[in-house]
Amino acid sequence: MCARPDLVLELFDPEFTEAGASDLRRDARSILTVTGGRPVSPDSPVVVTGMSGTVLAPGIVHLTYFGDDRGRRVWRGPLRSLTRTGRRMRCHQGTPAA
């Protein structure tokens, strides 16, 4: 099963940007291009550890966590905001980990 692009786009703010672990800068649509054909499987979940959050302002939270996606290890730091239409990811940074 693959992720549904229409549902994935609902998670992003229209002005979303990413400075990714791949050393590329992306918007929400380009994220879908990279991840859209990738199967989603409970047999190979991304393992998330060390998650914490800091409230920066009302409705704005900076999360940090470590993700291991089948050996691809990345520190992640999304900035999430609460909007009239729900919680959205405003920006994201991924830093490769050894």
Side-chain angles (χ1 to χ4, degrees):
M1 170 173 58
C2 291
R4 287 188 39 202
D6 58 324
L7 295 178
V8 173
L9 282 175
E10 288 180 13
L11 301 173
F12 294 102
D13 185 272
E15 301 298 319
F16 171 82
T17 59
E18 176 187 66
S22 61
D23 208 23
L24 297 174
R25 186 170 172 91
R26 294 188 171 114
D27 62 11
R29 292 237 175 244
S30 63
I31 296 278
L32 286 176
T33 300
V34 173
T35 63
R38 182 176 168 196
V40 176
S41 169
D43 298 329
S44 58
V46 174
V47 177
V48 174
T49 57
M51 183 174 287
S52 67
T54 302
V55 176
L56 302 177
I60 307 287
V61 175
H62 180 233
L63 298 174
T64 56
Y65 62 92
F66 182 79
D68 187 331
D69 184 3
R70 294 171 280 189
R72 184 168 186 256
R73 301 161 46 90
V74 179
W75 282 106
R76 301 204 175 270
L79 187 64
R80 308 267 313 181
S81 62
L82 181 59
T83 68
R84 287 176 295 179
T85 57
R87 298 184 196 287
R88 303 293 172 114
M89 190 180 312
R90 173 74 175 154
C91 63
H92 175 267
Q93 180 175 347
T95 304

